[in-house]
Amino acid sequence: MEEKIKKMYRGDCNLIIAFTIFLWIVLISTMIVVSSLAPSHTVRIIALGAAIIAGVTATTALLAVLGHLKKNQTQLYSEDIMCSGAMEKQQ
């Protein structure tokens, strides 16, 4: 069971890391487009500031989720494994 918990934890960590990378790729590509369309330098700076705030906030939240998963992985994944086992027995 311990090996299954570690496998599930690694999978979730990989998904969170991939999502974070994807988030920044989308933000950067969006900022490139917005920068070319913005009518003034002020609008560009405001949009860049908003994108940075959104990116940092989302990244911080995702890192908090990683910390929560690491701290409580045994409890969270044991419950998940037990529930999935119970669902298999019902079918």
Side-chain angles (χ1 to χ4, degrees), residues 4-84:
K4 186 161 180 137
I5 289 172
K6 288 182 181 183
K7 183 179 177 184
M8 292 173 75
Y9 173 70
R10 281 191 303 268
D12 285 349
C13 287
N14 290 337
L15 282 173
I16 291 171
I17 291 167
F19 184 78
T20 304
I21 292 168
F22 181 71
L23 166 78
W24 281 102
I25 290 170
V26 168
L27 279 174
I28 290 169
S29 63
T30 302
M31 285 313 305
I32 291 170
V33 172
V34 168
S35 180
S36 68
L37 296 174
S40 70
H41 186 67
T42 306
V43 173
R44 281 188 206 106
I45 291 177
I46 291 171
L48 179 63
I52 289 172
I53 290 170
V56 168
T57 303
T59 301
T60 303
L62 289 168
L63 290 174
V65 170
L66 278 176
H68 173 71
L69 287 176
K70 184 174 184 175
K71 181 179 174 185
N72 301 308
Q73 65 181 315
T74 304
Q75 177 187 358
L76 292 170
Y77 296 119
S78 295
E79 183 178 328
D80 192 27
I81 291 168
M82 287 182 207
C83 288
S84 66

